[in-house]
Amino acid sequence: MMPYDSGNAPRSFVYHPVFQTIVIVAILLVGPVLLVIGSSMNAADREPVASGSRTTGTVVEVNDGAEASTHNFRVEYFAGDTSSHSVWADWAPDEKPALGSSVTVIYSTAEPSAAVVEGHGTPGRTVTGLGGLLTVVSVVLIVVMASGFAKGRARRRRAD
């Protein structure tokens, strides 16, 4: 039997410099884009909170997924013009709403379908948090890469 020689084994595409560069550039771009999208979503949610009308809504659906991003629930409510609407909100693991429970919904009087559930998160928070995390990872990658380039350059200068 012939011994295994790892020098002849094909390398995975993950080690290819072009693939690594594409991944780094994607992370660098996606983080700030998600920050902007999440911030605009949060700004849109602030308008009903500042000048909206309050009503009582009923929790009609609760999603209890394995990940925190799937912890959300749907609330149905009636606006001032007696039209029925629904809104999704996120919940923290320790604040799971009960099916059929009542919550306060704040909706825009100009557009009753634009609403938020008082005291619960909105998808904009999740998007902003993910964008912030990716941006921090991007900055750390840049610092690590820059220090690696600087050390390599210093070694080459010393070798000359």
Side-chain angles (χ1 to χ4, degrees), residues 57-79:
T58 305
V59 177
V60 294
E61 185 177 346
V62 178
N63 291 330
D64 189 6
E67 300 158 359
S69 62
T70 57
H71 291 172
N72 55 19
F73 63 100
R74 186 168 60 98
V75 175
E76 287 185 351
Y77 63 97
F78 289 98

Side-chain angles (χ1 to χ4, degrees), residues 79-103:
D81 61 357
T82 67
S83 58
S84 177
H85 301 279
S86 67
V87 63
W88 285 92
D90 297 334
W91 55 274
D94 58 339
E95 298 174 357
K96 181 178 179 181
L99 199 59
S101 63
S102 296
V103 294

Side-chain angles (χ1 to χ4, degrees), residues 3-160:
Y4 178 74
D5 182 12
S6 64
N8 294 333
R11 288 180 53 144
S12 171
F13 70 94
V14 174
Y15 296 106
H16 197 279
V18 172
F19 176 77
Q20 292 175 350
T21 303
I22 290 171
V23 168
I24 290 169
V25 168
I27 291 173
L28 288 172
L29 295 176
V30 169
V33 168
L34 287 178
L35 272 174
V36 169
I37 291 171
S39 296
S40 66
M41 291 170 73
N42 287 333
D45 289 339
R46 273 187 238 121
E47 188 272 323
V49 171
S51 62
S53 297
R54 294 175 188 273
T55 189
T56 301
T58 305
V59 177
V60 294
E61 185 177 346
V62 178
N63 291 330
D64 189 6
E67 300 158 359
S69 62
T70 57
H71 291 172
N72 55 19
F73 63 100
R74 186 168 60 98
V75 175
E76 287 185 351
Y77 63 97
F78 289 98
D81 61 357
T82 67
S83 58
S84 177
H85 301 279
S86 67
V87 63
W88 285 92
D90 297 334
W91 55 274
D94 58 339
E95 298 174 357
K96 181 178 179 181
L99 199 59
S101 63
S102 296
V103 294
T104 302
V105 177
I106 306 169
Y107 66 92
S108 170
T109 52
E111 186 182 341
S113 61
V116 294
V117 178
E118 187 174 50
H120 291 281
T122 60
R125 282 186 184 174
T126 304
V127 173
T128 304
L130 184 58
L133 176 68
L134 289 176
T135 301
V136 168
V137 168
S138 302
V139 170
V140 169
L141 277 174
I142 289 170
V143 169
V144 168
M145 289 174 62
S147 79
F149 287 139
K151 286 179 184 178
R153 181 174 281 165
R155 282 189 206 126
R156 284 191 298 274
R157 285 185 183 157
R158 275 185 263 145
D160 290 342

